[in-house]
Amino acid sequence: MSDRRRILIGVTGGIAAYKICEVVSTLAKSGAEVRTIVTDSAQQFITPLTLATLSRDRSYTDRDFWQPTHGRPLHIQLAQWADIFVIAPLTANTLSKLATGMADNLLTNTVLASTCPILLLPAMNREMWKQPAVARNWQLLLTDSRFHSITPIPGILACDIPNNTDSQSVEVLAAGRMAEPQQILAHIYSLLHTQGDRDLANKQVLISAGGTREHFDPVRFIGNPATGKMGIAIAQAAVHRGARVTMVHGPMNVEMVETLSEVTLVSVTTAQQMSDAMLSLFPAANLTIMAAAVADVRPTAYHPEKLPKRSLPQQLDLETVPDIVAQLAQKKRPDQHLVGFAAQTGDILAPAWEKLQRKNLDAIVANPIDQPGAGFGSDTNQAILLDRHGKKQNISGCTKLQLAHHLLDFIDFSPITL
């Protein structure tokens, strides 16, 4: 982050408290001001000294809460100081207190005194999470628009007995595990950008991401270096702004996909498969963003068995593949918005503007893939954003999540007049 932002993190008594160390450390290294509140039960798992050391700032406990002050009470000071308030892990006990407005310690008093967005990360035994009383408290809490959340994800918990989980895949285990640090950090950065505004609430967003592969035998294919990081960042940003998101993606790193627990995922390999999926899902989408690097050509012949090296063709016959974004543009209704990407080298502006007009797009991201820290595989990016009205915005080097938010800010969601 380029500017200093104030983030207050409350830690309650669950084993998942260890994960917050990485979050606190990463935020502090990025230039944010980070302070922490540690409940009495949380201190059974993590010490205030650890968090104070990682944050380079104060870590507060109930002992501080009950000390006399010479100015405003501590919970008022902290509530007015924070730009964002994060509670991780959120136990069933503290969840119940927040849902009913109880204030019996520093953490809960600070929640009631604050007005900033609050990000909640529940974590508990999966049977506890499924209890009707916990579900009622959770749903009641989320009726307050100030509260944002990352719901627990499936996974092996600290309370699981190894012999009972060896035969179970993580995917079939019920939710209960707190989200991983990278997913938490992404949501925090989004809240710092939006200040909790859910401007995409009730919108269905469809995103394509990653590269496609066109095989000519089971192990060889025509592909590209796309990793899907930009598409993932757009999906995260849209979810954090309240959208319902579906992402159609080519082959991608499993760990990256796992950060999208709140996104409906459709996995494909070839351009044709991506075309079929996008065309099927497109009618329900309010906004479609084609961030995938789709193949332009494919081999005309496929060999079902691996070709020995001596049998490899000296010349590979190719044919063009469907132009997905052009097909979507032909089917686009006035109430739908379609955004494309133009990955270019050299002059990026003229080709992007030509592509926007030729394919009837509402906006396009001109992406200079020959620049350092931009394009395929990098964690950062830069771009020129263009829309159909001629509006232009230059985005200098930033994280891909920041670029995603700049893009969503840039899009004009007003209906198109025919």
Side-chain angles (χ1 to χ4, degrees):
M1 293 175 294
S2 59
D3 54 345
R4 294 178 64 81
R5 307 301 289 270
R6 298 186 293 254
I7 302 163
L8 182 62
I9 298 182
V11 186
T12 68
I15 185 61
Y18 79 91
K19 292 183 179 180
I20 210 63
C21 292
E22 182 179 344
V23 173
V24 169
S25 178
T26 303
L27 288 170
K29 290 176 182 176
S30 74
E33 295 181 69
V34 185
R35 295 178 184 174
T36 54
I37 298 174
V38 188
T39 66
D40 287 345
S41 58
Q43 292 176 63
Q44 305 301 312
F45 299 95
I46 191 170
T47 68
L49 177 59
T50 297
L51 294 172
T53 303
L54 293 173
S55 68
R56 290 79 157 169
D57 211 323
R58 289 290 304 274
S59 184
Y60 299 92
T61 68
D62 278 355
R63 184 176 179 180
D64 302 302
F65 185 36
W66 301 116
Q67 296 299 313
T69 62
H70 300 289
R72 293 171 300 168
L74 178 59
H75 65 294
I76 304 298
Q77 294 180 41
L78 290 173
Q80 295 181 353
W81 173 85
D83 292 317
I84 300 292
F85 197 169
V86 180
I87 303 178
L90 174 66
T91 60
N93 182 50
T94 301
L95 168 59
S96 175
K97 292 178 182 181
L98 297 183
T100 56
M102 186 179 293
D104 64 347
N105 59 15
L106 176 58
L107 175 61
T108 51
N109 272 275
T110 306
V111 169
L112 290 186
S114 66
T115 58
C116 65
I118 300 178
L119 177 61
L120 304 174
L121 291 109
M124 62 195 74
N125 171 273
R126 61 182 62 90
E127 294 304 324
M128 296 172 66
W129 178 245
K130 292 191 296 185
Q131 286 295 324
V134 173
R136 283 196 301 271
N137 286 335
W138 181 240
Q139 293 304 316
L140 178 61
L141 197 56
L142 294 184
T143 59
D144 184 339
S145 62
R146 195 161 66 101
F147 290 107
H148 301 255
S149 67
I150 306 178
T151 54
I153 59 177
I156 296 174
L157 305 177
C159 57
D160 285 327
I161 301 172
N163 289 339
N164 289 345
T165 57
D166 285 344
S167 61
Q168 293 178 293
S169 68
V170 171
E171 289 78 8
V172 301
L173 294 175
R177 183 181 177 92
M178 190 171 84
E180 298 302 319
Q182 290 306 311
Q183 190 175 1
I184 299 170
L185 287 163
H187 208 134
I188 291 172
Y189 291 142
S190 288
L191 286 174
L192 288 172
H193 181 91
T194 65
Q195 283 298 297
D197 184 17
R198 292 185 176 89
D199 59 336
L200 296 185
N202 302 317
K203 290 190 182 295
Q204 182 70 47
V205 176
L206 175 62
I207 300 164
S208 70
T212 58
R213 297 178 178 180
E214 306 301 326
H215 284 262
F216 64 87
D217 75 6
V219 299
R220 300 181 180 95
F221 59 85
I222 298 173
N224 58 63
T227 60
K229 289 182 179 180
M230 192 66 240
I232 286 175
I234 297 170
Q236 289 175 325
V239 165
H240 299 161
R241 295 166 78 135
R244 300 183 303 275
V245 179
T246 300
M247 190 176 85
V248 180
H249 66 90
M252 285 168 48
N253 181 287
V254 173
E255 292 182 356
M256 293 198 306
V257 175
E258 287 175 348
T259 66
L260 300 174
S261 60
E262 298 169 294
V263 175
T264 300
L265 298 172
V266 179
S267 177
V268 300
T269 300
T270 67
Q272 185 61 59
Q273 291 169 345
M274 182 168 284
S275 176
D276 292 342
M278 293 296 292
L279 287 168
S280 173
L281 295 165
F282 182 67
N286 303 108
L287 169 64
T288 299
I289 302 177
M290 281 293 301
V294 184
D296 295 308
V297 295
R298 64 189 172 203
T300 57
Y302 175 74
H303 302 273
E305 296 182 355
K306 180 185 175 182
L307 292 172
K309 186 178 294 187
R310 64 179 180 275
S311 300
L312 289 175
Q314 296 300 306
Q315 181 176 330
L316 195 61
D317 291 330
L318 303 174
E319 62 185 4
T320 58
V321 300
D323 186 331
I324 301 175
V325 74
Q327 293 180 83
L328 296 177
Q330 291 177 356
K331 298 178 179 296
K332 182 165 64 77
R333 303 186 305 268
D335 63 317
Q336 291 181 298
H337 294 79
L338 179 61
V339 178
F341 269 69
Q344 298 288 152
T345 59
D347 175 21
I348 66 171
L349 192 57
W353 178 247
E354 187 275 333
K355 181 177 180 180
L356 180 148
Q357 294 179 306
R358 175 168 48 86
K359 297 192 177 183
N360 191 31
L361 304 179
D362 299 294
I364 196 165
V365 181
N367 194 206
I369 58 173
D370 56 349
Q371 296 299 310
F376 298 124
S378 67
D379 293 323
T380 57
N381 214 342
Q382 57 182 286
I384 300 175
L385 309 181
L386 302 169
D387 79 357
R388 65 180 184 272
H389 303 299
K391 184 173 68 170
K392 181 175 75 169
Q393 182 177 349
N394 290 288
I395 307 297
S396 57
C398 61
T399 69
K400 288 188 172 177
L401 182 61
Q402 289 171 321
L403 177 56
H405 279 295
H406 287 308
L407 173 60
L408 294 175
D409 291 340
F410 180 82
I411 296 169
D412 178 3
F413 284 101
S414 58
I416 300 170
T417 302
L418 297 179

